[in-house]
Amino acid sequence: MDFCRYFLSTCVDQVDFMGQLLEPSELMNRMEIWTKEEIGAKRLLKGSWPILQLAVMQGEFKRGDAADITGYGERQARTVLNELIAKGYLASPTTRSPVRLAFPADAVDRWFPRLYQPRE
């Protein structure tokens, strides 16, 4: 019983600690601000935010959902989606597989500022 209490209290402590570092309640806001800055700097295409948001909210989605979520035609939505995959913000094992959020090194410090030290 003592070990179980110790083990579970340690687990809860670690979940709390990581929650403070990751600040999941602010993740969407940080990602949206970052995405808008990247679009403004012309490093990402317009329509990138709804796709990234879908990846965060659903965890994984079908490629065909990109057109519905962006409001673009299928071809333009596919262009935005493929750019996000090529830059490493989204991941998909094959060209027909579902898409999920990735955590590339060039964005992770902005998405999770308390988890990583700023780059110099």
Side-chain angles (χ1 to χ4, degrees):
M1 291 290 281
D2 290 340
F3 175 76
C4 289
R5 280 191 197 95
Y6 165 77
F7 180 77
L8 292 174
S9 69
T10 301
C11 290
V12 169
D13 178 62
Q14 290 301 300
V15 168
D16 290 342
F17 175 72
M18 290 307 294
Q20 290 172 1
L21 285 180
L22 298 177
E23 297 177 308
S25 62
E26 290 297 314
L27 176 61
M28 296 297 282
N29 187 42
R30 288 189 305 265
M31 285 183 71
E32 183 176 13
I33 291 168
W34 172 86
T35 304
K36 287 179 179 180
E37 289 173 359
E38 293 297 301
I39 290 169
K42 301 195 184 304
R43 290 186 291 260
L44 287 179
L45 296 172
K46 290 181 182 177
S48 294
W49 171 238
I51 294 174
L52 289 171
Q53 184 179 30
L54 181 64
V56 172
M57 298 302 289
Q58 289 189 3
E60 186 176 272
F61 63 93
K62 295 182 219 165
R63 291 169 175 267
D65 294 345
D68 293 336
I69 194 70
T70 61
Y72 291 158
E74 189 174 324
R75 186 176 198 159
Q76 179 61 26
R78 194 173 339 138
T79 299
V80 175
L81 180 68
N82 288 336
E83 179 189 63
L84 291 169
I85 292 169
K87 291 187 175 191
Y89 303 118
L90 296 174
S92 182
T94 70
T95 58
R96 299 203 183 269
S97 299
V99 179
R100 62 175 172 75
L101 186 65
F103 298 96
D106 66 332
V108 78
D109 61 333
R110 289 284 308 276
W111 293 358
F112 303 105
R114 296 188 66 198
L115 189 59
Y116 289 90
Q117 295 298 319
R119 290 178 285 158
E120 296 180 16

